[in-house]
Structure formats: C-alpha cells, structure tokens
C-alpha cells in the first residue's frame, strides 16, 4: 500500500534554514519535525520568494508562514514589519497567538486587530509599537484611514485563507490594504481553493510566486472501518474516553501531533484508569524498547505516539488506530491507519476532527475516495447501555462457569421472603453499581455536529464561552518530582474490579493520611490493584494510615511498589 513507502526524511527545522533560537522554541513546543507544507514553504520564504500555497487548517500552515516571518523580522526595530490578513476574528487571534509563541525567544511583538474589540485598546498597543499585525481586513482599513496604522515598513505580507475572505466580500479591502504597503515587500497567499478571483488576486499582488501544494498520492482503500467524530478542542479528552469505553479496543495506537500532547494525553488516560504508554522522539532506545515490550505483551493496551516515533514501528496489528489530532496531510492519515486492518483482519480507524478542521477531512476523503461520515459522540445514555451490556455479559459468564457456590445460601434465605426474579434484579443492581465505578457524576452529553453542519463548515466553536478553552485543554500535570521532592510509587491492593476510581484513592489518602490531594502524583488503576505516586517523605505515613483504613468499605494492603 502507498502508506508503506515511507519518506524517511531527516528534515529538521534547522535544515530548513531556521535559526537556533526559533528551532529551540519549536523543541520546547514538542514539534518533532516539519510538516509537508512547512518543508516546502519555509526555505522558499526564507529565500525571499513569494509563495502561493494551497493548504487547509490543520496542515501546519500557520507555522509554515509564521516561522520564516519571526525569523526574518528585525527584533531591534519597533515598526510594523509583518502583516497577516485573516478572514475572521477567531483566525486572527489564533494566528497572532502562534506568531507570539514562535517569536517568543526572539522577543517579537504581535497584535491582533479585529472588529468588535474596543479600538482604544488597539490604539494604545499600536502606539507602543508592534512588529507584526494580524488583522481582519475591515478593521485594518479603519486604522489605516485614521492614520493609526502605518504600513511603510512592512516587508512581509501573508494573505491567509484567501478563499474565505473572497466569500466574505473582502477582496477590495485587501487590494486597498496592500496598496499601502511598499512594493518591495514579500507576499504569500494561502487558500484551500483557487477560484478565478483568487488567482487574479494572486496575479495582482504576488511576484513570480513559488507554488507550494501538498501533493495527493493515490492509495487503495484498506479493509478498515473509518469513523470521524467532530469535537471542539476542550471536549476532546472526554470524547476520546467515551469512544474508547464504547469501542473497548484490544490494542490501539493513538496519534498526537506533539510530544507535549503525547505526555499530557498519556497522563490523562492513566488517571482515568486506562493503561497507556507514551512513545515519542524524546525517549532513548532503551526506553522505547521497554514501552514497545509492554505494549506487545498487553501490559499496556494503548500506545500514545507521535508520527515520528511510530515510524518503522514493529507492531503486528492493532485493533484500533485513533487520530487524537487529525493528521497534517491526507497521506499521513493513510499511513497511520495502515497500522490496523492488516492481513485481512478487521480494523477501526477513529479520527477526532475539530469543527474548523473540516477541510482536512475532505482532503482525506478525496484521497481515499471514500466518505467518512461524522458519527455521534457517545451520549451518557449510550455509555450506560454499554455498561449494562458489559455487566450482562459478565453475569452470563459467571453463570456459565457456575462459580457462585458460596452465594446460593444467601439467595435461599432471601427466597423465603422474596421472589427469585426480584432477588436477582436487586443483586444485579448492587453489583452493577460497583462495576460502574467509572461513571462520573458530572457526565453530560457533549455538543454534536450533524454531517451537514460539518460539510458547511459550521463553526459553533467560536461562540462558546471563551475562557473554558484553556482550562479544559490539558489535564493537570502530575510529575515524577512534585513540589514535595522525589516521589515513590505505592501498590494498593484494590483496582478497577472493585470499582476503584482515582478520586477514591485521592480521597482515602488525603482523608486518612492527612496529606493534601495536590501532593499526590500519578495514579494508575489496573484491574486488581492500583499504583499511586506520593512524595517519598510522606510514603510511610500514607502506608500506615491506609493499612488501618478502608477504601470503598474494603480493607486494603499498601506497600511500596517494586519495579516490576
Ligand atoms: P494549522 O494548520 O496552522 O492550523 O496548525 C495545526 C496545528 O498543528 C497547530 O495546533 C500547530 O500547533 C500544530 N503544528 C504545526 N506544525 C507542527 C509540527 N511541525 N509538528 C507538530 N505540530 C505542529
């Protein structure tokens, strides 16, 4: 299959011509290698050429133009040197954030400028002097006409999502803005589609541009069930957990974009009682082998990986491939999902798509020549039904295995007073409630997108409460070295089978041993036992207190975990 022909590119950000400061910034962001559009656009822009690019959101397009821009800006001059035109306020803010992130080490200042925001705030920021402006055309023109924005020193102009700006009627505004910039400037235009008016716009403003297109290879569609879920960023973790609960993969690879995301997701899933292992380029060969060993032996059931780390991975077959982030090119998608459905076996590929990434999904559909219909994110009712089904199945197993000898007496006594059917139902209720330990009180249904809304590119995202975005993005980090010094892992003799949840352990440890919940580190819950990290200095105190106490009404034994 096409996906097997890996381009084992050794391309690094530095080899594209980016300086050490910017490359170091990317390292801290966890970017392991440039995406296809970045490989093409970055050296071209650094060489001073104009660029005509075709790429959708999610391909790494923003970094493709923002990285060369922050590299080339004169950090000592406080005039506006870079200008990015974006169709919407959301995109302007997002691009400005990216420029800020990438330009941090170089001390580049950036300002988003869009309608709806008090102009006063923008004016005072402009007076202080900024080097990059990211704005929507209407508001930019306002400033130019008031004389509050001077573009005489602009050297780099980016027109982002040009086709969207065309749809919104901004073409004349763009012309008017570009007229105010020097002729010697460098210009790049990005658009997902190229209707005639965009081509004309490019002809008017770009000089002998280099075309940067992500080529689309053909592939045979494999024997894989492909599902997509449309999920805004703050709900991704919750959606993933629900999908995993419903699908119950026997072994799965979950792909993330960056190392940081791999680490965060691994931790968040471990806290939720899964058995994940992280695999990324930051691991040594020995660590990598260990991780793969645990995955192959089934000690871990989820492998959370970056594309780079998964390259050349020696895994026979997994039941599920999950794209926690939509891959940055359709080819990468094909490559990732090639890990499942091998040798005629069935496989499932699951992709989480943010509403604004709907174009990426279309690109993938075009390449695989197949529709990937967005599915409904499991609702609370779906999850309950699934849990009931699992319970019924394990009850059936117990009945078939006839290993309930000691309990017949209990039923016989009760049968003198109650109907047998009622006794069985009541016993089921009790048992199911314990098994449903993972059901959380705050479970609510997540927002759903209909296939039509997705196709229209309906972006309900931007309308949500803004502040929640960041707080819900990544789980609290629990490190190996907490504020209270080195951590020790404790073995606790109860696990998932007894309905133990992380909250039960935190509650018991905090309550019985009188140490703050925040001092507790990573928690892993296995079927029969749990592992909890606590500060070494408090380990004995916790062991003593818990050994006298009970968790969920059960006495437990606690000791230091051995390395095995
Ligand atoms: P964009 O296509 O610009 O909307 O970017 C999509 C996402 O990819 C953003 O969250 C970026 O932070 C991320 N990203 C961009 N370049 C890379 C890279 N080389 N490696 C990993 N993540 C990246």
């Amino acid at each position: 299959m096409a996906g097997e022909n890996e381009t084992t590119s050794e391309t690094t950000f530095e080899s594209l011509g980016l300086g050490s400061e910017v490359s170091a910034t990317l390292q801290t962001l966890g970017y392991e290698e440039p995406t296809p559009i970045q490989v093409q656009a970055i050296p071209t822009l650094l060489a001073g050429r104009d660029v005509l690019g075709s790429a959708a959101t999610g391909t790494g397009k923003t970094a493709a133009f923002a990285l060369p821009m922050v590299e080339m800006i004169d950090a000592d001059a406080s005039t506006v040197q870079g200008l990015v035109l974006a169709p919407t306020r959301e995109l302007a803010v997002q691009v400005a954030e990216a420029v800020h992130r990438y330009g941090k080490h170089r001390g580049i200042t950036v300002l988003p400028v869009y309608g709806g925001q008090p102009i006063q705030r923008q004016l005072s920021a402009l007076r202080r002097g900024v080097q990059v402006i990211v704005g929507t055309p209407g508001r930019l023109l306002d400033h130019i006409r008031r004389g509050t924005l001077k573009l005489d020193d602009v050297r780099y102009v980016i027109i982002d999502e040009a086709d969207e700006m065309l749809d919104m009627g901004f073409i004349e505004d763009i012309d008017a803005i570009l007229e105010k910039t020097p002729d010697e400037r460098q210009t790049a235009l990005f658009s997902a589609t190229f209707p005639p008016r965009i081509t004309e716009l490019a002809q008017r403003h770009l000089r002998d541009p280099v075309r940067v297109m992500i080529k689309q290879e053909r592939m045979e569609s494999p024997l894989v069930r492909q599902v997509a879920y449309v999920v805004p960023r703050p709900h991704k973790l919750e959606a993933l957990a629900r999908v995993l609960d419903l699908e119950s993969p026997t072994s799965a690879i979950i792909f993330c974009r960056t190392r940081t995301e791999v680490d965060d997701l691994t931790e968040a899933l471990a806290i939720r009682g899964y058995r994940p292992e992280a695999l990324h380029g930051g691991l040594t060969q020995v660590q990598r082998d260990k991780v793969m060993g645990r995955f192959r032996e089934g000690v871990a059931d989820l492998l959370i990986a970056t594309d780079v780390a998964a390259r050349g991975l020696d895994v026979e077959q997994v039941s599920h491939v999950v794209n926690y982030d939509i891959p940055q090119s359709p080819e990468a998608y094909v490559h990732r999902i090639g890990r499942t459905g091998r040798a005629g076996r069935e496989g499932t590929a699951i992709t989480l798509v943010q509403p604004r990434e709907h174009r990426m999904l279309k690109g993938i559909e075009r390449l695989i020549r197949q529709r990937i219909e967005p599915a409904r994110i499991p609702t609370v009712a779906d999850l309950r039904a699934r849990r009931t089904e699992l319970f019924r199945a394990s009850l059936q197993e117990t009945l078939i295995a006839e290993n309930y000898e000691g309990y017949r007496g209990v039923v016989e006594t009760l049968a003198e007073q109650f109907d047998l059917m009622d006794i069985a139902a009541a016993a089921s209720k009790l048992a199911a409630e314990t098994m449903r330990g993972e059901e959380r009180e705050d479970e609510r249904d997540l927002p759903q997108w209909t296939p039509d809304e997705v196709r229209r590119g309906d972006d309900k995202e931007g309308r949500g409460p803004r502040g929640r975005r960041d707080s819900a993005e990544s789980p609290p980090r629990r490190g190996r070295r907490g504020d209270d010094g080195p951590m020790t892992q404790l073995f606790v003799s109860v696990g998932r089978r007894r309905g133990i949840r992380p909250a039960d352990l935190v509650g018991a440890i905090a309550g019985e041993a009188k140490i703050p919940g925040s001092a507790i580190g990573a928690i892993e819950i296995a079927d029969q036992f749990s592992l909890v990290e606590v500060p070494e200095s408090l380990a004995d105190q916790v062991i003593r207190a818990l050994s006298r106490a009970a968790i969920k009404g059960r006495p437990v034994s606690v000791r230091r975990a051995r390395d095995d």
Side-chain angles (χ1 to χ4, degrees), residues 507-518:
I509 294 172
E512 300 293 335
K514 308 275 181 288
I515 72 167
S518 59

Side-chain angles (χ1 to χ4, degrees), residues 199-216:
T199 314
E200 287 155 21
L201 181 78
Q203 277 161 359
R204 280 200 297 283
H205 299 294
L206 270 56
R207 249 179 316 174
D208 186 22
V210 176
R211 287 173 167 267
V212 170
M213 310 274 158
I214 302 303
K215 67 172 188 316
Q216 307 235 320

Side-chain angles (χ1 to χ4, degrees), residues 13 26 29-35 37-38 56-65 67 91 94 98 101-102 161 233 256-259 261 328 354 356-357 360:
F13 285 103
L26 295 174
L29 291 175
Y31 291 11
E32 295 194 320
E33 60 166 10
T35 67
I37 179 101
Q38 291 163 3
T57 296
T59 53
K61 170 188 56 145
T62 314
F65 64 73
L67 289 170
L91 187 65
Q94 204 179 307
R101 238 185 352 255
Y102 301 142
E161 302 203 352
R233 199 135 117 158
C256 297
R257 251 170 220 158
T258 65
R259 272 181 210 187
E261 267 174 356
Q328 268 146 342
Q354 290 181 54
R356 53 171 308 117
E357 294 168 336
M360 294 289 294

